[in-house]
Amino acid sequence: QVQLVESGGGLVQTGGSLRLSCAASGRTFSTYTMAWFRQAPGKEREFVAAISWGVGETYHADSVKGRFTISRDNAKNTVFLQMSSLKPEDTAVYYCAAERFGAGRGVADFRSWGQGTQVTVSS
């Protein structure tokens, strides 16, 4: 388990950009697969993007591919989600998640979660 602290959420206009950050505790950050999920009111939490432990292979949901980019800075124990060309449909609470040596991309595959940060995209 690892403690996660998120930041960077806010209100942005359609077509705008935001960068979310998630800071993790500990000295073994590079061994954790990191991911971003989001949850809109009345909907299930859904996978957005993940970056694997080690070399950092990335995965992006079809709904955000080409617009969002996940990255990590192991020296800073931080994972980022760069969001561009934002749409109202992207409005949700965004959660950071971590799993040591993780290989899955579902909610149940991650045991450490951040508090969530609100992203609101206005039309």
Side-chain angles (χ1 to χ4, degrees):
Q1 297 181 344
V2 60
Q3 292 179 328
L4 306 173
V5 180
E6 298 166 279
S7 62
L11 192 153
V12 65
Q13 293 182 357
T14 297
S17 300
L18 281 175
R19 188 175 79 156
L20 306 183
S21 299
C22 174
S25 65
R27 296 190 295 269
T28 57
F29 178 72
S30 64
T31 68
Y32 283 81
T33 290
M34 305 295 297
W36 289 96
F37 291 78
R38 66 186 182 186
Q39 187 167 24
K43 300 188 68 177
E44 296 294 315
R45 194 167 299 187
E46 67 172 349
F47 171 79
V48 176
I51 184 164
S52 70
W53 67 277
V55 298
E57 185 175 11
T58 62
Y59 310 85
H60 297 83
D62 289 342
S63 59
V64 307
K65 196 170 296 181
R67 301 188 298 119
F68 293 9
T69 302
I70 190 170
S71 62
R72 67 192 297 162
D73 186 339
N74 289 339
K76 297 180 179 179
N77 275 28
T78 304
V79 63
F80 305 96
L81 185 68
Q82 179 65 53
M83 305 185 294
S84 300
S85 301
L86 283 161
K87 309 173 181 180
E89 306 92 273
D90 297 317
T91 295
V93 177
Y94 283 71
Y95 296 91
C96 179
E99 181 69 25
R100 198 174 189 202
F101 305 119
R105 294 191 288 274
V107 170
D109 295 314
F110 294 85
R111 290 180 286 175
S112 297
W113 293 85
Q115 78 283 0
T117 185
Q118 177 72 46
V119 172
T120 303
V121 184
S122 65
S123 59

